[in-house]
Amino acid sequence: MFFSKDLPSPTSVFTAYASMAGYMMMIRSMAHELIPAPLQDFIYRTLRSLFFRSSSSTLTLTIDDDNMGMNNEIYRAAQTYLSTKISPDAVRLRISKGHKDKHVNLYLSDGEIVNDVYEDVQLVWRFVTDGGDKKGGGGGVGGRGGGGGRRGGMDDDGKSEYFELSFDKKHKDLILNSYVPYIESKAKEIRDERRILMLHSLNSLRWESVILEHPSTFETMAMEDDLKRDVIEDLDRFIRRKEFYKRVGKAWKRGYLLYGPPGTGKSSLVAAMANYLKFDVYDLQLASVMRDSDLRRLLLATRNRSILVIEDIDCAVDLPNRIEQPVEGKNRGESQGPLTLSGLLNFIDGLWSSCGDERIIIFTTNHKDRLDPALLRPGRMDMHIYMGHCSFQGFKTLASNYLGLSDAAMPHRLFPEIERLIDGEVMTPAQVAEELMKSEDADVALEGLVNVLEKMRLKSKESNPVMMKQKESRLEMEEMRLKSDTEGSPRKNSKRFKKLVLFWT
Ligand SMILES: Nc1ncnc2c1ncn2[C@@H]1O[C@H](COP(=O)(O)OP(=O)(O)OP(=O)(O)O)[C@@H](O)[C@H]1O
């Protein structure tokens, strides 16, 4: 008769398992040099089956990459998660680096073990390669998640690769319902962190890809704080509303129209959005797409979690004129004939958006007034973002980016002067940035900027003194009116500020 105190505790079972597995691995790597591969497999399998028979309280899950012919997401998640948990004592690892990767990726190699603890439950992971002809040091983990290696499951040599996850049987529910989802979410975080963004551009009607290393982020963007916050909130809402889009039967896509003069940061904002979301960018130059059928092929070749950008939509292609040349007998949007605006909108609204997830489309233009009303129709572009001339707030962001100046503690002596001169449509952020780059010495750079601002104000006054006078007095009146009815409400004030900017345009 057995008493519970005679039974080994789960902790000691796992400790014993881990040590034994470690010894097995050491013996295995020595044996690897001396014993032929088929004999190695036989010995390893025999020892393993002996061990598992003796620890009846252990449950072992096997996780391979085959999910009835589809990929097994848990396998991929485990592969990514475990690559961050590799013990310093590991004796055999697989290393890989794809041409797009910035860093090398480390993966478990055959027989390697990782010990993990989840809510005080001890877990042992092992990567196993079974059967087939061993080459080049014992196979490896499929590296699709990070390095372009072989996939798990059965490979061409008839060798199967899988993970084993062992733990005490009594924790089965916790592991399946809590630990596995935890691994999946961790793996997503790690992948997002590591993700290399790609910029895809057209070359002879094919997407050609390079690594996107644009440094622009929302922190570096010279924009009004309110507008910046609105854009970030909109992106966040879009990303977390997968279920919502499904429920209401809408394609999970979002459209933005960025408009404003050249050099106000439209392209930089696209890059900031891509960096924020970790989305690839597809830069679609419409001028090189002549037919609806080409557009269709190109759009279908784009991947999920991406931003499709069509820059300078007003002048990239003369779409309205092309509408005047319909091709007989063809359906709209499926035509082999010339690319039309309706074809473009048809694909964007229909086919392309319904066959992918997490898609963003961005149109940019310097002339919103020249756009076809069909593009501006409510519901087509979800958010219209005006990128305007450099405000004082925008200047402060640029001064901090380029000269490391912060206005928090002690603003630079020239800040008040710049605040007075920069208001209105005087300089674009690109022009301000150019001035700030002229010297590393903040005094010199800011004095240069003050000179340019003075010259530009004078020039615009001289070019239209009457209009300037009228604008100034209207602005003053509007300012006084706003001051009287929004005193003490910063949020209201900033909204009115936007109106003031519009008033100037
Ligand atoms: N709002 C901004 N914030 C930060 N930097 C900016 C901003 N606007 C312009 N810049 C700077 O000016 C350069 C040019 O800006 P960008 O190409 O993003 O402007 P754009 O509006 O897309 O111009 P265009 O309409 O000519 O394509 C950027 O590389 C960046 O250094």
Side-chain angles (χ1 to χ4, degrees):
M1 184 164 162
F2 290 104
F3 295 97
S4 61
K5 69 183 166 71
D6 298 325
L7 291 171
S9 70
T11 314
S12 49
V13 169
F14 277 104
T15 313
Y17 173 66
S19 338
M20 182 165 165
Y23 282 124
M24 279 170 68
M25 211 172 51
M26 206 173 74
I27 294 165
R28 191 177 158 77
S29 51
M30 283 166 60
H32 180 74
E33 303 300 323
L34 307 169
I35 305 173
L39 194 55
Q40 281 178 42
D41 270 344
F42 173 74
I43 296 168
Y44 173 66
R45 267 200 292 271
T46 310
L47 284 175
R48 199 152 50 93
S49 62
L50 276 176
F51 173 76
F52 283 120
R53 227 172 275 148
S54 69
S55 57
S56 57
S57 67
T58 302
L59 175 64
T60 296
L61 305 174
T62 61
I63 303 161
D64 67 29
D65 196 22
D66 190 21
N67 175 30
M68 291 188 288
M70 313 257 287
N71 296 330
N72 181 358
E73 287 301 318
I74 304 175
Y75 179 90
R76 235 184 122 215
Q79 187 181 68
T80 308
Y81 173 74
L82 293 176
S83 68
T84 63
K85 294 259 160 191
I86 293 170
S87 147
D89 302 332
V91 291
R92 176 171 293 197
L93 295 174
R94 182 169 171 272
I95 180 169
S96 72
K97 188 171 187 287
H99 74 282
K100 295 172 188 172
D101 296 337
K102 280 183 187 162
H103 309 289
V104 292
N105 302 297
L106 278 182
Y107 296 103
L108 297 181
S109 193
D110 187 20
E112 277 295 339
I113 282 173
V114 167
N115 294 302
D116 199 13
V117 179
Y118 181 73
E119 295 193 3
D120 294 331
V121 176
Q122 308 234 15
L123 301 123
V124 180
W125 284 92
R126 168 195 282 278
F127 181 68
V128 184
T129 305
D130 263 354
D133 185 25
K134 294 209 166 24
K135 289 177 202 156
V141 183
R144 291 175 313 120
R150 191 173 49 241
R151 56 176 287 175
M154 193 77 83
D155 73 4
D156 297 342
D157 300 336
K159 181 161 60 182
S160 67
E161 299 176 334
Y162 54 90
F163 291 101
E164 284 179 352
L165 173 60
S166 304
F167 50 88
D168 195 309
K169 261 184 191 146
K170 68 182 182 211
H171 300 301
K172 185 175 146 209
D173 287 345
L174 176 81
I175 299 308
L176 292 180
N177 301 328
S178 180
Y179 181 64
V180 172
Y182 164 80
I183 285 174
E184 286 182 300
S185 78
K186 275 278 166 209
K188 185 171 181 304
E189 264 174 41
I190 298 162
R191 278 199 295 266
D192 281 351
E193 187 71 20
R194 284 183 187 169
R195 187 145 184 233
I196 312 295
L197 303 189
M198 303 304 292
L199 171 66
H200 310 271
S201 329
L202 285 184
N203 183 9
S204 312
L205 287 181
R206 290 191 180 283
W207 291 117
E208 219 176 56
S209 314
V210 291
I211 292 179
L212 174 65
E213 284 184 307
H214 200 294
S216 185
T217 64
F218 279 107
E219 285 77 42
T220 63
M221 281 303 297
M223 287 166 73
E224 295 310 312
D225 285 346
D226 270 8
L227 182 59
K228 206 184 273 190
R229 197 179 44 234
D230 287 351
V231 177
I232 295 174
E233 277 173 10
D234 195 78
L235 292 173
D236 287 342
R237 201 175 315 116
F238 168 67
I239 293 304
R240 68 169 177 263
R241 287 180 115 187
K242 179 176 185 170
E243 289 310 314
F244 167 83
Y245 279 87
K246 213 165 154 186
R247 206 172 55 239
V248 300
K250 257 176 88 93
W252 193 14
K253 73 172 177 80
R254 193 104 183 126
Y256 298 89
L257 174 71
L258 312 188
Y259 66 102
T264 50
K266 297 179 293 297
S267 312
S268 308
L269 182 58
V270 172
M273 287 164 122
N275 284 329
Y276 182 73
L277 296 172
K278 304 257 186 265
F279 277 19
D280 285 353
V281 174
Y282 288 86
D283 180 14
L284 181 63
Q285 303 101 18
L286 276 190
S288 36
V289 184
M290 299 311 287
R291 292 170 176 279
D292 279 359
S293 52
D294 290 333
L295 181 68
R296 172 197 166 109
R297 194 173 47 73
L298 288 168
L299 292 182
L300 288 177
T302 60
R303 301 179 64 187
N304 288 349
R305 292 171 65 76
S306 63
I307 299 178
L308 177 75
V309 188
I310 303 182
E311 287 205 89
D312 299 322
I313 181 76
D314 54 299
C315 56
V317 70
D318 194 6
L319 287 169
N321 286 348
R322 290 185 186 185
I323 290 174
E324 285 160 19
Q325 313 158 10
V327 176
E328 276 184 26
K330 298 282 177 189
N331 294 332
R332 263 172 24 137
E334 289 173 6
S335 153
Q336 292 300 311
L339 175 65
T340 60
L341 177 64
S342 64
L344 173 68
L345 298 178
N346 215 22
F347 289 132
I348 287 165
D349 283 352
L351 191 61
W352 172 71
S353 59
S354 60
C355 67
D357 269 345
E358 286 187 287
R359 306 296 186 107
I360 285 180
I361 180 158
I362 299 180
F363 287 127
T364 75
T365 178
N366 296 336
H367 303 282
K368 190 183 174 187
D369 50 311
R370 290 188 199 160
L371 294 185
D372 192 295
L375 272 171
L376 301 172
R377 207 195 66 198
R380 186 143 269 149
M381 291 289 113
D382 300 285
M383 198 172 178
H384 293 198
I385 302 172
Y386 174 63
M387 301 299 287
H389 283 77
C390 196
S391 64
F392 182 58
Q393 202 173 73
F395 156 75
K396 285 192 287 185
T397 307
L398 296 175
S400 156
N401 295 346
Y402 288 84
L403 299 169
L405 291 178
S406 141
D407 76 321
M410 203 196 294
H412 190 277
R413 64 182 166 83
L414 288 173
F415 273 26
E417 181 70 349
I418 291 170
E419 183 169 16
R420 188 180 66 78
L421 291 168
I422 208 165
D423 252 3
E425 289 178 5
V426 187
M427 283 176 91
T428 62
Q431 289 169 319
V432 173
E434 201 183 313
E435 284 306 314
L436 298 184
M437 277 170 61
K438 286 188 177 163
S439 173
E440 286 168 32
D441 183 330
D443 288 336
V444 177
L446 293 187
E447 271 159 20
L449 177 64
V450 168
N451 282 338
V452 176
L453 279 168
E454 275 167 347
K455 273 188 205 141
M456 290 188 90
R457 281 196 88 89
L458 199 67
K459 215 164 106 188
S460 69
K461 256 192 189 146
E462 275 167 2
S463 66
N464 203 340
V466 182
M467 237 179 101
M468 199 68 193
K469 198 97 204 117
Q470 282 174 349
K471 269 189 175 180
E472 268 174 7
S473 58
R474 274 170 29 213
L475 188 65
E476 269 165 24
M477 277 166 58
E478 178 74 354
E479 255 172 352
M480 276 162 61
R481 195 179 63 73
L482 291 177
K483 224 177 161 187
S484 64
D485 65 28
T486 62
E487 210 98 80
S489 160
R491 173 82 184 160
K492 254 188 176 175
N493 273 331
S494 59
K495 280 246 164 89
R496 300 289 174 137
F497 175 77
K498 271 191 214 160
K499 259 174 89 183
L500 267 176
V501 173
L502 287 175
F503 185 68
W504 270 89
T505 61

